[in-house]
Amino acid sequence: MEDKRVAMNIIPRNTETVLLAVWKLKDGAYGLAIIDQVEKDTGLKWLPGTIYGTLARLKKNGWVQTTKIEQPPNQVGRPRIYYKLTSAGMKKLIAAQEAVRGVWGGIPNLEKSR
Amino acid sequence: MPPFARFMPWLLRRLADDEIRISILEYLEGEYANDLERKGPFFGGLRYVFRAIQILFSLLAETFTWRLSMIRNYLKTFLRSGRRQKIYSFVNVAGLSMGMICCLVIALIVRDEISFDRFHPRFDRIYRVLTETQGAGRPSLGAPTALPLAPALKADLAEIEKTARISDQTSCLVEAGAKSFYEDLLFVDPEFLEIFSFPLLAGDVRSALAQPSSIMITGRMAKKYFGRENPLGQILTIQNRGDFRVTGVLRDIPRNSHLRFDFLAPISTLSDLPRWTAWSQFSNDYTYALLSEGTEAEALEAKFPAFLKKYLPEDLRGDYGLKLQPLEEIHFSSIRHDIAVTSDKKYIYIYPAIGLFILLIACVNFMNLSTARSSRRAREIGLRKVVGARRSQLIQQFFAESIGLAVVSLLLAGGLVKLVLPRINQFLRKDMAFDPFADGGLAAGLLALTLVVGLISGSYPALVLSSFQPAAVLKKQSIVRGRRHSFLTMSVICQFAVSILLIICTMTVFRQLNFMKNRDLGFPADQIVALPLSGSPIVNNTETFRREILQNPAVVSASISSGTPASGYGITMDFLPEGRDESSKISMAVIFADFDFLATYGLTLVAGRDFSLAFATDKTQAVLINETAAKKLPWDSPLGKRFTDGEAGESREIIGVVKDFHYDSMRSRIEPTAIAISSSLPRFLSAKIRPENVAQTLAFLETTWKNHAPRNPFSYFFINEEFDNWYRSERRLGTIFSVFAGLAVFISCLGIFGLAAFSVEQRTKEIGVRKILGASTPGILRLLSGEFLGWIAIANLIAWPVAYLAMKKWLMGFPYRTPMGYGMFVLAGLTALGLAWATISAQSFKAATANPADSLRYE
């Protein structure tokens, strides 16, 4: 179900984090890699269900697409699923960045200025 | 392979698409492989399971998230609106709860009534055989049958698999050691326990009644006579019948059985009775039959005439026929001389209708209130629509609210029913249980009730409110008034019409009750106490006993007779007026009495004289008749005429006519009655005593009794108290109707209360303006209540004719009935009007006396 909220370009933080991780990993965005990236970015170990649940929803919304890539012949294992941002997803990310920048723009380091 | 790994692909297939599934599986297997290396198979497996469950859970939550959050939102709104508008919430919940309580109790009662006798496994093959006689031109059915009938039926008709007779012997003296009581005993064929299944606590059902001197008793009788001792093998002595050995203990007979008994003995014990082989003598003997599989009752009935022809002597053949009554009808029948526990079919038809009506009234209240208050919620609705709510979502929200209210009402109703049920059980002599946690059917019914009530109540407001146009609403244009007015009006009118109808019915019932209680019985019934003599040695010594009683100056008069006015028409005989032929035969009730009967009962003569010791022939030749009998006899003046007793051939002379007196409840007509001197059936001693020191007089009677009959328990009853018992079922009806009426009125007033509150709120500004322009407080009250009171007047006009017809029909069932005065109708109407006015005034008064400045500032 498309988010019909008026003038709400801010997206939930979980979704944002996962989406950004997918973007950062470019062509290397598969399940485990995303999980590791998110852990690196936030400093917290997320439960796999949260990430996969988000990924499932992103795919349903059409912001992310999956591709099955066969492993190169020298590696063992089943074919891997790679995640990639769609153009809609990209648009969403750009709008979110705008919105966040608007809110956070110009805010000095809050820790320092307490 | 990790545990449950086999199921994962299948589970995931349901929750996510293919590629996500593969992605997840890859992840899980990868991590498991790592864990195997580092942590070993046990922890590896454990972590696998944790991860798997967490992923499944998250995927599940993803699917339902939006719906769950919507439900949370609805709940918030619901609670908030409930808290804010406490009055309306209270009105709604109160009304719905009352309606539900009504429905629940009635459902329990109906279920109990229908369940009668259904615990017998062969329920649908069990029939009772009834005797059909020609009486007064119409065939009438009677439950008693001839004793030889059952064995003959079994022998001759293949369609009958088994038969069993029951003989009901009341007030037999039963003794065990020091304890002795009067009990009712059932003498039955052993097949009785094969046709019916009454579970045993001890003993063998096949052999328990095989021996002629055996007896079976219920658990509570075992406790009564033998305390904690083992009852099996103990001896019970039955008066005139000897010793019986207890061979079986039955579980106490459940309340929903048309047969209730505490003792079973073999009917072969009664084989010495003359009617054992008589086809024309009926007493308290009943025949039951178990039909073989696949037999049609009508087909079997068709065979009865031929069957009877074979067994009945020539002269009896025209007189009677046989009919089959299925077990499921017995509880609801009203057959003459029945021992079955019967109940009115009214319970099954009318009460559920009333209950549903009342529930409907409550739902209608809810509808009216919600729709009337819609303007308050208009802003909320408009806003929801603006931010994108679809109409279907709004409808869902309103249904969620109404169902939520229904659930709260149900909880309240359920709690109250549980509290009130013991009183109801006591009142109705039932044993109903209300345990939704144990009773699956009940729980399902409750759920269904809640859903139905919620859906019905919520339907109208949901549809109307969800159709609001946001633009109009947010601009605060007036939405509601106009078109729904008719629905509102109609529902208020209907509610009050039903309430008024019920009030009138209640009043009529109580009026008839009063009428019957206060009606002249034909004799002064107070201060007459009767002692049953049957089964005591006094029957052989009645005159001595009577004289001894009379020695006490507190006893004004005493008489020995075969019956009392409170015992009903026990004996009926046919009499032939002298000089007339067979066709003039009259059936009359007969009382065998003594010289003091008229004096003791204060009966008055309208012609002729009382029995008198001065006339030697009075003992054998004289008879007194009552006015009804005199009218039936073919002579203008019956004094001096004679008539003959049909069977014995004795003829007697009428020496006096007694003023009619009631010998049975007011529900039966006074029958032609004859009183003759005879000591052949001394069943009662009746004594007229002085009103002072009644307790002492009773003590004296008891002492005298004990001197003459030490082994018989002393018992007595007052004639006028017995008469009161006759009307127990009418009294119950009155109470039930008054409860219904009270509920209906309460709910209707609730409805008006809510509407009035709302109407006042709506018109606050208008009232303010009017006050400023000079309107007086009473004037404003009149304005506010005028509308409603007009509707109630119409409700009266609807209710009156319906009530009149219904009550007239009911009263037809009484030979002696109270006139239906107009006063009742007017009183009911005024009551309704008064209550409604009071409800409305409470609201209106506040508004009418408010400071206009405040009213106008009200926003």
Side-chain angles (χ1 to χ4, degrees):
Chain A
M1 185 176 83
E2 263 269 45
D3 208 355
K4 274 211 194 117
R5 277 175 275 201
V6 170
M8 297 252 213
N9 283 330
I10 304 174
I11 52 182
R13 255 36 232 278
N14 283 5
T15 317
E16 184 191 271
T17 314
V18 171
L19 217 48
L20 273 170
V22 170
W23 180 83
K24 283 187 202 171
L25 288 168
K26 304 240 180 284
D27 286 332
Y30 66 95
L32 251 160
I34 299 176
I35 293 179
D36 288 338
Q37 178 69 42
V38 164
E39 185 184 337
K40 194 168 88 177
D41 284 344
T42 58
L44 296 167
K45 251 185 153 68
W46 285 28
L47 289 170
T50 319
I51 294 182
Y52 276 110
T54 311
L55 284 171
R57 186 168 16 105
L58 289 173
K59 182 167 181 206
K60 212 192 300 182
N61 286 351
W63 298 355
V64 134
Q65 70 195 23
T66 52
T67 25
K68 199 194 290 201
I69 295 186
E70 297 290 339
Q71 286 283 44
N74 58 338
Q75 285 196 26
V76 166
R78 44 173 67 187
R80 259 201 197 144
I81 306 286
Y82 283 84
Y83 296 84
K84 191 158 178 241
L85 282 177
T86 59
S87 52
M90 197 60 207
K91 274 199 213 133
K92 212 60 193 180
L93 211 52
I94 294 171
Q97 187 179 42
E98 276 294 323
V100 171
R101 190 178 290 152
V103 172
W104 282 95
I107 308 273
N109 192 331
L110 289 170
E111 180 65 41
K112 291 249 175 74
S113 56
R114 262 217 266 188
Chain B
M1 269 301 250
F4 306 123
R6 282 198 305 129
F7 300 114
M8 284 309 287
W10 179 84
L11 282 168
L12 287 171
R13 202 163 297 153
R14 258 136 205 76
L15 292 170
D17 69 20
D18 277 353
E19 301 191 318
I20 301 273
R21 172 170 58 90
I22 296 175
S23 182
I24 292 176
L25 283 170
E26 180 205 5
Y27 165 78
L28 282 170
E29 280 163 21
E31 292 296 288
Y32 179 67
N34 282 344
D35 284 339
L36 263 182
E37 278 179 37
R38 276 185 257 144
K39 306 262 180 108
F42 176 67
F43 283 110
L46 207 62
R47 295 187 79 191
Y48 177 92
V49 169
F50 280 159
R51 280 191 210 105
I53 290 180
Q54 200 266 327
I55 290 179
L56 286 170
F57 202 70
S58 303
L59 288 174
L60 216 68
E62 282 298 320
T63 325
F64 290 131
T65 292
W66 71 272
R67 213 170 265 166
L68 248 136
S69 68
M70 282 315 272
I71 294 181
R72 240 185 314 149
N73 177 273
Y74 295 156
L75 199 70
K76 247 198 286 185
T77 320
F78 169 64
L79 288 172
R80 197 187 301 147
S81 70
R83 251 177 307 191
R84 276 216 208 117
Q85 291 146 359
K86 294 209 185 80
I87 316 174
Y88 303 112
S89 312
F90 162 74
V91 167
N92 279 328
V93 168
L96 286 180
S97 299
M98 290 290 130
M100 283 183 175
I101 293 181
C102 220
C103 276
L104 284 177
V105 171
I106 291 179
L108 285 175
I109 293 179
V110 169
R111 190 169 74 155
D112 184 80
E113 290 286 318
I114 297 189
S115 76
F116 260 72
D117 301 315
R118 283 196 192 258
F119 53 88
H120 300 294
R122 300 192 195 85
F123 177 80
D124 44 356
R125 283 198 287 149
I126 302 178
Y127 287 78
R128 185 167 65 167
V129 184
L130 303 173
T131 321
E132 186 181 46
T133 45
Q134 299 294 327
R138 283 173 310 142
S140 86
L141 290 170
T145 47
L147 279 171
L149 178 62
L153 280 173
K154 171 115 193 297
D156 276 22
L157 297 167
E159 290 90 336
I160 296 186
E161 195 177 306
K162 291 197 216 282
T163 58
R165 292 166 292 184
I166 299 179
S167 186
D168 180 33
Q169 302 297 319
T170 50
S171 297
C172 300
L173 185 64
V174 175
E175 289 175 272
K179 302 201 176 119
S180 68
F181 300 93
Y182 283 114
E183 307 277 8
D184 295 341
L185 310 176
L186 276 191
F187 290 87
V188 302
D189 285 311
E191 286 86 355
F192 175 75
L193 292 169
E194 294 169 32
I195 298 181
F196 296 101
S197 24
F198 292 105
L200 267 67
L201 293 170
D204 184 1
V205 74
R206 274 161 305 177
S207 59
L209 291 175
Q211 298 300 323
S213 297
S214 46
I215 190 169
M216 297 174 73
I217 62 178
T218 53
R220 60 182 184 169
M221 287 299 122
K223 212 187 286 188
K224 182 175 172 185
Y225 283 90
F226 305 114
R228 288 169 166 274
E229 292 173 34
N230 183 2
L232 286 178
Q234 302 262 18
I235 302 288
L236 287 169
T237 313
I238 302 181
Q239 124 204 57
N240 298 337
R241 294 258 158 225
D243 290 350
F244 286 74
R245 176 182 303 263
V246 177
T247 52
V249 181
L250 297 152
R251 200 184 303 165
D252 288 350
I253 310 301
R255 292 243 198 175
N256 57 347
S257 162
H258 81 279
L259 289 170
R260 301 227 190 106
F261 50 89
D262 286 303
F263 298 87
L264 286 180
I267 202 172
S268 50
T269 322
L270 304 174
S271 53
D272 57 337
L273 289 174
R275 65 176 197 271
W276 186 254
T277 47
W279 280 87
S280 61
Q281 286 191 33
F282 299 110
S283 185
N284 303 336
D285 314 309
Y286 308 90
T287 306
Y288 289 82
L290 178 71
L291 268 55
S292 29
E293 300 264 6
T295 313
E296 292 281 336
E298 290 85 30
L300 182 55
E301 273 180 0
K303 291 196 175 183
F304 284 150
F307 164 83
L308 285 172
K309 212 166 173 191
K310 179 173 165 194
Y311 287 94
L312 287 179
E314 190 76 55
D315 53 335
L316 288 173
R317 280 201 204 142
D319 280 356
Y320 72 84
L322 298 172
K323 275 241 164 330
L324 290 171
Q325 183 188 34
L327 182 56
E328 65 183 325
E329 284 180 18
I330 297 185
H331 175 59
F332 295 110
S333 59
S334 48
I335 308 260
R336 271 188 307 125
H337 306 131
D338 206 337
I339 59 163
V341 173
T342 55
S343 156
D344 216 326
K345 229 159 180 188
K346 220 195 315 250
Y347 281 129
I348 308 247
Y349 295 129
I350 301 191
Y351 294 163
I354 297 183
L356 277 170
F357 245 134
I358 294 186
L359 189 66
L360 212 65
I361 294 180
C363 290
V364 162
N365 271 352
F366 183 96
M367 275 194 257
N368 282 338
L369 215 52
S370 309
T371 344
R373 280 170 42 234
S374 52
S375 53
R376 277 201 153 210
R377 305 200 62 178
R379 225 174 310 169
E380 174 202 341
I381 296 165
L383 201 62
R384 279 187 190 262
K385 281 203 162 178
V386 161
V387 295
R390 277 177 272 134
R391 189 174 174 201
S392 60
Q393 288 173 299
L394 281 169
I395 292 182
Q396 271 180 33
Q397 175 193 353
F398 290 123
F399 273 127
E401 283 181 17
S402 63
I403 293 182
L405 252 156
V407 167
V408 173
S409 309
L410 179 76
L411 292 174
L412 188 63
L416 284 172
V417 166
K418 200 118 178 122
L419 263 169
V420 161
L421 196 61
R423 279 301 302 278
I424 298 182
N425 270 335
Q426 212 182 25
F427 177 62
L428 293 175
R429 314 262 193 93
K430 284 187 186 294
D431 201 7
M432 302 183 287
F434 181 73
D435 200 351
F437 297 117
D439 189 342
L442 187 63
L446 290 175
L447 234 66
L449 180 68
T450 319
L451 265 163
V452 163
V453 168
L455 287 173
I456 292 182
S457 319
S459 61
Y460 201 77
L463 292 170
V464 165
L465 272 69
S466 60
S467 68
F468 285 170
Q469 292 310 311
V473 148
L474 289 173
K475 278 191 237 163
K476 288 196 149 213
Q477 284 170 9
S478 153
I479 332 118
V480 137
R481 284 274 128 178
R483 59 179 164 137
R484 265 180 333 89
H485 226 229
S486 49
F487 184 70
L488 216 92
T489 324
M490 263 212 322
S491 47
V492 168
I493 293 182
C494 280
Q495 290 179 5
F496 271 92
V498 169
S499 307
I500 295 173
L501 173 68
L502 288 174
I503 294 179
I504 297 180
C505 289
T506 312
M507 282 200 232
T508 314
V509 170
F510 279 116
R511 224 172 125 137
Q512 172 67 9
L513 251 167
N514 252 350
F515 176 78
M516 293 197 293
K517 270 190 359 173
N518 296 335
R519 185 180 151 90
D520 183 17
L521 291 165
F523 66 97
D526 53 322
Q527 308 304 125
I528 305 180
V529 62
L531 308 177
L533 300 175
S534 304
S536 70
I538 298 182
V539 297
N540 301 321
N541 223 347
T542 51
E543 198 50 29
T544 323
F545 183 64
R546 194 182 75 92
R547 295 246 172 88
E548 201 171 314
I549 299 273
L550 278 170
Q551 282 176 12
N552 188 325
V555 177
V556 173
S557 173
S559 159
I560 310 270
S561 58
S562 61
T564 67
S567 321
Y569 289 111
I571 312 167
T572 337
M573 292 166 65
D574 288 337
F575 294 97
L576 191 58
E578 193 170 47
R580 306 289 161 130
D581 59 35
E582 281 290 312
S583 59
S584 315
K585 238 196 319 201
I586 303 180
S587 179
M588 296 209 271
V590 177
I591 308 175
F592 293 125
D594 60 11
F595 287 90
D596 296 85
F597 189 74
L598 262 68
T600 310
Y601 277 99
L603 302 171
T604 49
L605 287 156
V606 296
R609 62 171 180 85
D610 189 1
F611 296 120
S612 166
L613 286 160
F615 291 79
T617 51
D618 272 2
K619 227 177 177 177
T620 50
Q621 299 279 326
V623 70
L624 291 170
I625 59 175
N626 67 354
E627 288 171 299
T628 315
K631 282 189 208 125
K632 272 203 141 166
L633 288 169
W635 308 296
D636 284 330
S637 168
L639 291 176
K641 305 285 194 297
R642 309 182 74 92
F643 55 71
T644 339
D645 155 16
E647 293 196 2
E650 286 178 12
S651 95
R652 294 202 180 223
E653 180 186 335
I654 302 171
I655 60 166
V657 180
V658 176
K659 183 170 113 160
D660 272 342
F661 56 96
H662 277 278
Y663 206 61
D664 197 347
S665 80
M666 291 275 176
R667 260 181 269 130
S668 336
R669 283 198 178 280
I670 297 182
E671 307 260 312
T673 314
I675 310 175
I677 306 277
S678 170
S679 51
S680 57
L681 213 53
R683 284 206 244 156
F684 295 93
L685 173 113
S686 313
K688 179 103 183 171
I689 61 179
R690 290 205 178 286
E692 305 89 31
N693 297 326
V694 169
Q696 273 181 1
T697 320
L698 286 175
F700 163 75
L701 289 173
E702 180 164 6
T703 327
T704 322
W705 175 274
K706 285 260 178 287
N707 289 339
H708 287 258
R711 295 168 74 198
N712 296 67
F714 172 67
S715 71
Y716 66 91
F717 58 90
F718 281 90
I719 300 289
N720 50 0
E721 283 172 11
E722 279 299 298
F723 268 124
D724 274 350
N725 283 339
W726 286 119
Y727 309 122
R728 205 181 291 137
S729 74
E730 271 75 22
R731 258 203 297 269
R732 235 175 16 189
L733 192 68
T735 314
I736 291 177
F737 263 106
S738 58
V739 168
F740 279 151
L743 270 172
V745 165
F746 179 66
I747 297 181
S748 305
C749 281
L750 268 181
I752 283 226
F753 180 80
L755 287 176
F758 173 72
S759 164
V760 158
E761 205 185 289
Q762 277 262 343
R763 302 164 86 171
T764 316
K765 272 203 197 145
E766 176 193 340
I767 297 173
V769 170
R770 281 181 190 263
K771 286 208 86 168
I772 290 178
L773 293 178
S776 62
T777 307
I780 296 197
L781 283 176
R782 234 178 309 146
L783 169 74
L784 290 170
S785 33
E787 223 181 358
F788 295 110
L789 298 180
W791 295 345
I792 295 178
I794 300 181
N796 269 307
L797 292 176
I798 300 179
W800 286 352
V802 177
Y804 182 73
L805 290 171
M807 285 297 103
K808 200 154 173 123
K809 186 149 193 262
W810 180 71
L811 282 176
M812 289 293 206
F814 295 89
Y816 307 101
R817 48 189 105 101
T818 175
M820 288 214 291
Y822 296 116
M824 231 171 13
F825 292 86
V826 173
L827 188 58
L830 284 176
T831 314
L833 261 159
L835 284 168
W837 189 84
T839 326
I840 301 174
S841 306
Q843 314 282 351
S844 324
F845 197 73
K846 215 175 31 169
T849 52
N851 189 338
D854 293 328
S855 322
L856 288 172
R857 224 179 290 142
Y858 174 81
E859 190 57 34

